[in-house]
Amino acid sequence: MASSTVTSAQPERPPRPNLAFRRLRGKRSPAEFAAAVRRAAREIGERVSCDARYVGRVEAGEIRCPNYAYERVFLHMFPGRTLTDLGFAPRSSVRGRQGRSTSESRGAGEPYETYDTRDTHDPHDLYETHDNNEESDVLRRAFMTSGATVAVASLGPLGLAFDAAAAGRPARRAGTGEAGALEEAVRRIRLLDDRHGADGLYRRAAAPLRTAYALLDAGASRQATADRLYTGAGELAISVGWLAHDSGRFDDARSHYAEALATARMNGDAGLEAHAFCNMAFLARDAGRPREAVRAAQAAQRAARPLGSARLMSLLALREAGGWAGLADPVGCEQALVRAQTFFERGPSDADPEWMSFYGEAELEGLEAQCWSTLGDWPRAARHARRAGDLQDPHFTRNLALYSAELADDLARGGRPDEAAGAGMRCLDLLGEVQSSRIHTMLAGTARVLLPHRRASGVSTFLDRHGALPRPA
């Protein structure tokens, strides 16, 4: 693991907070506001990957002017207002800096440009910064290159290796531009996983992780930037680990999660540590190590307790409940489920981590369904799985497929084959968009349970359609 060497530099000019935008968010948490932005985008046919951290960057003044896609969405959300009314700088005043002559270009200590320059024809492009340093560009291209024509390809060559020219030069220390590009790479991977599942993404996502640790090894110009790089690299390791986990590569996932945990502990990052332990608990449950799942979930809760996020504590209690269910301990499981519900009812807060944007009432119901399924209470499991599907934001296509697969399995094992076939068909309808070995494995198990019931209504159709599926690689 690389160390972070911080050198002195001229202080950056702090960005001016966007108080107007913060007032418009009102009492909603950043995650809730980000979900509202995504809904508004769908209403007008735009596709933006807004999340809590993007909202935070806008409110902190780091994004002085949004790209055209976000501009259209914000003006749709707040009709009658201009970008200036929303607290942004005029586009011309921000963009004009790029055309300055060399003698007027920014000095070594001047901050990176804060205009959001993503191509309007590809709203998923990463945020760019106008830094002209050649060595820096070599590093940043690892995260900022994209040639998407289909969903999986839209991850693009995010992990380009250092080119031959750069190999012979000492690497320039990383700055805020590299840290921002790394953070955006994590967001893009999460977005693509939410929509399409892990199978087609894992191998492409491993290369950016290597570049992230190369950035750490290059060092950073300021401690704040070094901290962002460590957190970004750790979060990227967790995201790549999850892609391995969801596509059935458990040994790879365990290695990536361990790398993230080591990064967290080296940098004293309690939030990253809690996230790593959270995913390790989930992996241990799926790998048939329920006692390890309980211990990892409890370690995550110890790390997360000082962070002040009730929703995070709720999710971690659910991870613990899954471990107790695997140990066939209904009492321990129910106690953890009660704690999860109690924490959840406290509501969202600004302390909720960005990566938890997936966690809402639907995920709460879905994880509880998995607990009851593990304990063999099929009717109770089916009830929660059905509710999870009803509550799920359609933005999370993978989760819709997952809850449908869970429901189909619970209904099949609970002796309701016709309803199971219907739920299975709904899941199959989503598999054109979603590639997840986990979901394929669940459906295969459901198909085996339904084989003796081929004459039941809809079962034969489901089995035939499932049998025609291409096998996951």
Side-chain angles (χ1 to χ4, degrees):
M1 196 72 66
S3 61
S4 171
T5 303
V6 181
T7 59
S8 61
Q10 298 176 19
E12 289 190 353
R13 292 198 307 266
R16 181 178 300 172
N18 187 337
L19 300 180
F21 199 87
R22 175 62 186 89
R23 284 192 295 270
L24 290 170
R25 175 161 67 86
K27 294 182 179 180
R28 288 174 288 187
S29 73
E32 290 174 319
F33 188 78
V37 172
R38 295 193 301 269
R39 284 194 298 272
R42 290 194 295 272
E43 289 171 4
I44 61 173
E46 287 288 356
R47 296 178 64 192
V48 297
S49 54
C50 187
D51 54 25
R53 182 165 291 189
Y54 180 86
V55 174
R57 291 181 66 207
V58 172
E59 293 179 359
E62 294 179 17
I63 296 176
R64 294 172 58 204
C65 187
N67 72 6
Y68 288 105
Y70 274 104
E71 177 182 356
R72 287 189 287 271
V73 175
F74 291 150
L75 296 184
H76 171 68
M77 292 177 70
F78 305 107
R81 289 183 168 91
T82 65
L83 282 182
T84 305
D85 295 333
L86 301 181
F88 294 109
R91 191 174 302 281
S92 58
S93 70
V94 179
R95 183 175 259 173
R97 290 182 61 189
Q98 194 172 8
R100 293 179 303 183
S101 66
T102 305
S103 61
E104 296 174 324
S105 63
R106 89 179 144 78
E110 196 172 21
Y112 286 89
E113 186 57 70
T114 52
Y115 168 58
D116 184 359
T117 59
R118 292 187 292 178
D119 189 326
T120 58
H121 299 291
D122 185 2
H124 296 296
D125 277 353
L126 305 182
Y127 302 111
E128 296 185 14
T129 52
H130 305 312
D131 178 60
N132 296 319
N133 184 282
E134 185 178 3
E135 289 89 346
S136 176
D137 284 345
V138 172
L139 288 171
R140 198 180 302 108
R141 281 200 302 272
F143 298 106
M144 302 179 78
T145 308
S146 173
T149 55
V150 295
V152 172
S154 72
L155 192 57
L158 283 172
L160 293 177
F162 296 110
D163 64 17
R169 296 192 299 262
R172 174 186 174 278
R173 296 194 185 283
T176 56
E178 287 82 6
L182 172 54
E183 291 160 354
E184 192 61 25
V186 176
R187 293 188 192 105
R188 170 179 273 181
I189 288 170
R190 289 173 182 161
L191 176 69
L192 292 173
D193 175 55
D194 289 341
R195 291 179 177 168
H196 306 291
D199 285 8
L201 302 177
Y202 173 60
R203 288 190 175 88
R204 289 179 177 268
L209 184 58
R210 291 192 293 272
T211 304
Y213 281 100
L215 287 172
L216 286 184
D217 199 44
S221 55
R222 279 170 292 276
Q223 185 61 53
T225 303
D227 291 343
R228 285 178 66 189
L229 288 171
Y230 266 90
T231 299
E235 290 292 349
L236 186 56
I238 291 173
S239 292
V240 175
W242 165 248
L243 297 178
H245 179 174
D246 194 44
S247 56
R249 301 171 174 91
F250 287 178
D251 288 343
D252 287 356
R254 189 177 179 89
S255 175
H256 289 306
Y257 292 159
E259 187 170 38
L261 181 61
T263 302
R265 289 185 162 174
M266 279 198 301
N267 206 39
D269 188 332
L272 180 59
E273 180 174 344
H275 191 185
F277 271 128
C278 175
N279 280 45
M280 292 170 85
F282 198 13
L283 175 64
R285 188 207 71 170
D286 286 354
R289 299 190 300 270
R291 195 169 302 280
E292 180 184 325
V294 171
R295 291 177 64 85
Q298 291 171 343
Q301 290 169 78
R302 287 193 296 272
R305 198 165 287 120
L307 302 177
S309 170
R311 286 289 168 90
L312 176 56
M313 292 298 292
S314 173
L315 176 61
L316 298 178
L318 283 167
R319 295 287 187 245
E320 183 182 341
W324 289 122
L327 289 169
D329 185 340
V331 174
C333 181
E334 285 203 68
Q335 289 174 344
L337 288 173
V338 168
R339 278 190 284 116
Q341 187 68 47
T342 300
F343 277 120
F344 187 86
E345 289 172 356
R346 295 182 186 177
S349 74
D350 289 345
D352 296 341
E354 177 189 356
W355 59 266
M356 285 189 63
S357 59
F358 73 93
Y359 184 61
E361 193 173 0
E363 183 73 2
L364 174 71
E365 294 286 344
L367 290 175
E368 183 165 353
Q370 292 174 18
C371 290
W372 295 120
S373 178
T374 302
L375 289 168
D377 190 337
W378 311 118
R380 202 167 182 178
R383 187 165 64 250
H384 286 284
R386 191 186 305 276
R387 183 162 168 76
D390 291 342
L391 291 168
Q392 183 58 62
D393 182 338
H395 168 77
F396 295 97
T397 312
R398 176 203 167 274
N399 280 6
L400 282 174
L402 177 66
Y403 301 149
S404 296
E406 176 70 39
L407 176 60
D409 198 62
D410 295 334
L411 290 169
R413 295 176 191 277
R416 296 154 71 181
D418 52 343
E419 292 181 63
M425 291 292 282
R426 289 192 294 276
C427 183
L428 289 172
D429 289 341
L430 294 168
L431 290 186
E433 301 178 53
V434 175
Q435 297 178 356
S436 169
S437 292
R438 171 192 299 272
I439 295 171
H440 278 280
T441 299
M442 292 172 69
L443 281 178
T446 302
R448 287 193 294 271
V449 174
L450 288 178
L451 274 174
H453 306 280
R454 180 177 284 274
R455 293 185 179 181
S457 175
V459 172
S460 178
T461 303
F462 166 74
L463 291 174
D464 291 344
R465 188 172 167 193
H466 176 265
L469 283 177
R471 297 300 95 182

